[in-house]
Amino acid sequence: MEQTTNQNQEEISRQFEEFCHTKGIVAKFKVAFANMAESARKQKEADKAHLEEVKRQSAEANPEFTEFLHTKGIKAKVKLVIENIKKGAKESSERVRKQIEQAKHGAPSVTATRTYSADELTREFNAFLKAKGLDDKYVVEVTEESGN
């Protein structure tokens, strides 16, 4: 980072010296515009590389959407959407079937409840408050009452 800053400063110094040593107002404008054009070209290249990286990451994160964008024709797009809906429904029914099998065989389900002690609840609530930046304003103390 520091090296880049130094290089930028050296480049600006060089360009300014060149500008100062140039004779005539027309020549000075030509030098200034040439330097601006070069700077704009470099910035455009950097922006283009950044955009390509963002596109690549987006394509990796959303392969179905990328496939949809590359599909040609309205009929093909509709067909692709219907196939993705069917695929999602099939995966959903498989997940439900697996949960039912786990419940039948006595395996704990994903939605199984857990019993917490008063100390655990106090720690969890206070950790939540700390994560939200409210630990200096609020403190939670959980006490267990006898069963009435």
Side-chain angles (χ1 to χ4, degrees), residues 1-127:
M1 179 77 172
E2 188 176 317
Q3 184 180 8
T4 305
T5 305
N6 288 341
Q7 288 174 344
N8 289 342
Q9 288 176 346
E10 289 172 7
E11 178 65 18
I12 290 170
S13 265
R14 185 195 61 76
Q15 290 176 0
F16 186 69
E17 283 180 30
E18 182 182 355
F19 179 80
C20 289
H21 294 301
T22 303
K23 302 291 184 206
I25 191 78
V26 173
K28 285 185 187 261
F29 273 110
K30 284 182 181 179
V31 168
F33 284 124
N35 289 340
M36 285 189 285
E38 179 65 19
S39 177
R41 186 187 62 74
K42 287 179 183 177
Q43 185 61 45
K44 182 179 178 183
E45 288 174 3
D47 290 346
K48 186 176 179 181
H50 178 70
L51 180 62
E52 291 301 319
E53 177 63 19
V54 169
K55 282 182 181 179
R56 185 190 62 74
Q57 289 174 350
S58 179
E60 288 175 3
N62 303 306
E64 293 88 8
F65 185 69
T66 303
E67 183 180 5
F68 177 81
L69 289 177
H70 290 26
T71 302
K72 302 291 183 200
I74 189 73
K75 286 183 181 180
K77 287 185 187 266
V78 169
K79 184 178 178 181
L80 180 65
V81 168
I82 292 171
E83 287 174 5
N84 284 338
I85 291 171
K86 287 179 183 178
K87 180 180 165 186
K90 181 180 178 185
E91 290 173 357
S92 175
S93 65
E94 288 177 9
R95 279 194 304 270
V96 169
R97 185 181 51 77
K98 286 179 183 177
Q99 288 175 348
I100 291 171
E101 287 297 318
Q102 286 178 346
K104 283 182 183 177
H105 297 295
S109 70
V110 176
T111 59
T113 58
R114 178 172 174 242
T115 305
Y116 290 91
S117 70
D119 290 337
E120 288 174 310
L121 287 173
T122 299
R123 280 194 306 274
E124 291 291 325
F125 276 121
N126 287 322

